[in-house]
Amino acid sequence: MADDYYDVLGVDRGADDGTIKKSYRKLAMRYHPDRNPGDAAAEVRFKQVNEAYEVLKDEQKRAAYDRFGHAAFDGSMGGARDHDFASSFADVFDDLFGNFGGGRRRGGGMQGADLRHDMEISLEDAFSGTRATLRVPTAVACGSCGGSGAEDPDATVTCGTCSGYGKVRAQQGFFSIERTCPKCAGAGKVIRSPCRSCSGSGRVHKEESLGVTIPAGIEDGMRIRLAGKGEAGVRGGPPGDLYIVVSIRQHPFFQRERGTIYCRVPISVASAALGRDIEIPTIDGKRARITIPAGTQTGRQFRLRGKGMNEVRKPARGDMIVETFVETPVNLTSRQKDLMRQFDEAGHAGNHNPESEGFFSRVREFWQNLTD
């Protein structure tokens, strides 16, 4: 005698549809053949679970079962069980994942592809923002057919293979597999007289001129999305998007780190020793004056507040960091070499090079300790 369908699903006779579906979902997952390869008992149990759910999910079949039991389906269920099981399983997976085997969009064309365009700008343009015009090769809606792909409106008919659904379902054992309709390519419609200009695709290729605004403060690698400016969809489908990927050219003076601008400035030995005022450029095209104090060493930094980069969606500018490095003179004349020797000899009389003198003093102590 066949097992009671309610017992198979583990629910009471008064269980509502939601409880029945929840129990079925749990059991179907547990006994699914993919999770139990080679387990004959699990396969039998899997069939029983789906057979029970096929009856109890249907209001009329459930009423007949409650009244007559398995006798209500003698002679009719045997041929239908395996066939109807696939639709039961698909219903549950539709509920779990939205759609079984892919989207269920009826009719309409396919969405166009997204496009990428690389754009290089200067650091100055990144600071202030700019407006640019791009020439982008793309696919646009055909002007002759308005993107429909048909010679005239009456030339488009509902696909007879999928009945306008865009997909066909094939039975493979316990599963019902959905795939794109081979006749209409998922559009749900068939064009009897394709447009001569676009050969039925609904779009043609051309180079399009587009204006794009680069915001002030944009950083290297950022993307700007132009919605609906990608490729036109096939047969009237929605267009894709265009993504502008921005790269920033290397600057001869400045390096950038988000809102901070760095500038490395060489100074002569005399300027470092005696001190002086210097002028440096800023990213906004102006000048800034800083005072180099006497005795400045390589690597000393000076911060100029509010002289750095703009940043996207931030009201205030960053800072500018000026870092000095003392340049050793080269290509000296004989006279200059003599003066440098005199300066070096005179330097031994006082504490003019504390770092080097301190270093070599510690070196001498180190060597002395090794010999003691």
Side-chain angles (χ1 to χ4, degrees), residues 271-286:
S271 297
L274 303 176
R276 61 173 294 188
D277 290 343
I278 62 172
E279 282 189 340
I280 57 171
T282 55
I283 189 61
D284 55 8
K286 300 179 181 179

Side-chain angles (χ1 to χ4, degrees), residues 207-242:
E207 191 175 63
E208 192 170 16
S209 179
L210 297 173
V212 59
T213 298
I214 307 298
I218 194 167
E219 296 187 38
D220 189 83
M222 279 187 171
R223 300 189 309 172
I224 299 173
R225 175 174 171 261
L226 301 182
K229 296 300 182 180
E231 283 193 345
V234 178
R235 296 183 183 178
D241 299 331
L242 173 64

Side-chain angles (χ1 to χ4, degrees), residues 263-276 278 292-302 322-330 340 343 352-353 355:
C263 183
R264 193 163 180 258
V265 178
I267 58 175
S268 66
V269 172
S271 297
L274 303 176
R276 61 173 294 188
I278 62 172
I292 304 296
T296 293
Q297 305 294 319
T298 291
R300 182 165 181 175
Q301 293 184 342
F302 303 85
V322 178
E323 181 177 318
T324 60
F325 73 95
V326 180
E327 185 177 20
T328 302
V330 297
M340 290 296 292
F343 174 79
H352 303 303
N353 300 290
E355 287 196 27

Side-chain angles (χ1 to χ4, degrees), residues 34-281:
D34 288 348
R35 291 193 173 187
N36 304 272
D39 189 337
E43 183 176 351
V44 171
R45 183 65 171 167
F46 186 62
K47 289 182 179 181
Q48 292 175 338
V49 167
N50 284 286
E51 178 182 317
Y53 180 66
E54 173 61 30
V55 171
L56 298 185
K57 75 164 187 173
D58 185 280
E59 183 178 354
Q60 293 181 349
K61 289 182 180 180
R62 182 178 180 182
Y65 178 76
D66 289 343
R67 185 174 182 182
F68 300 108
H70 293 286
F73 308 104
D74 288 347
S76 62
M77 285 290 290
R81 286 174 186 168
D82 287 346
H83 174 77
D84 291 339
F85 147 66
S87 63
S88 303
F89 203 57
D91 288 342
V92 172
F93 273 78
D94 283 350
D95 184 61
L96 280 170
F97 305 115
N99 289 314
F100 181 64
R104 291 183 179 270
R105 182 164 54 88
R106 287 181 177 269
M110 296 173 58
Q111 181 172 353
D114 293 337
L115 298 178
R116 168 179 172 150
H117 182 83
D118 295 330
M119 179 179 180
E120 186 179 65
I121 62 174
S122 67
L123 187 62
E124 288 85 355
D125 284 341
F127 166 76
S128 60
T130 187
R131 177 78 179 173
T133 300
L134 309 178
R135 301 290 297 179
V136 181
T138 184
V140 299
C142 175
S144 300
C145 64
S148 68
E151 192 72 32
D152 58 75
D154 295 333
T156 302
V157 297
T158 300
C159 176
T161 301
C162 64
S163 301
Y165 182 64
K167 294 182 180 295
V168 293
R169 181 174 287 185
Q171 191 74 27
Q172 293 186 2
F174 293 118
F175 295 95
S176 180
I177 307 300
E178 279 189 345
R179 58 188 177 89
T180 302
C181 176
K183 186 171 183 179
C184 67
K189 296 181 179 180
V190 176
I191 299 175
R192 292 185 297 186
S193 300
C195 172
R196 298 177 183 178
S197 299
C198 63
S199 301
S201 68
R203 58 184 187 175
V204 293
H205 292 275
K206 65 175 291 187
E207 191 175 63
E208 192 170 16
S209 179
L210 297 173
V212 59
T213 298
I214 307 298
I218 194 167
E219 296 187 38
D220 189 83
M222 279 187 171
R223 300 189 309 172
I224 299 173
R225 175 174 171 261
L226 301 182
K229 296 300 182 180
E231 283 193 345
V234 178
R235 296 183 183 178
D241 299 331
L242 173 64
Y243 290 91
I244 310 297
V245 182
V246 177
S247 61
I248 301 176
R249 287 192 294 272
Q250 186 174 358
H251 198 277
F253 305 135
F254 305 124
Q255 293 81 45
R256 178 190 184 183
E257 186 175 322
R258 299 185 68 83
T260 304
I261 288 287
Y262 292 90
C263 183
R264 193 163 180 258
V265 178
I267 58 175
S268 66
V269 172
S271 297
L274 303 176
R276 61 173 294 188
D277 290 343
I278 62 172
E279 282 189 340
I280 57 171

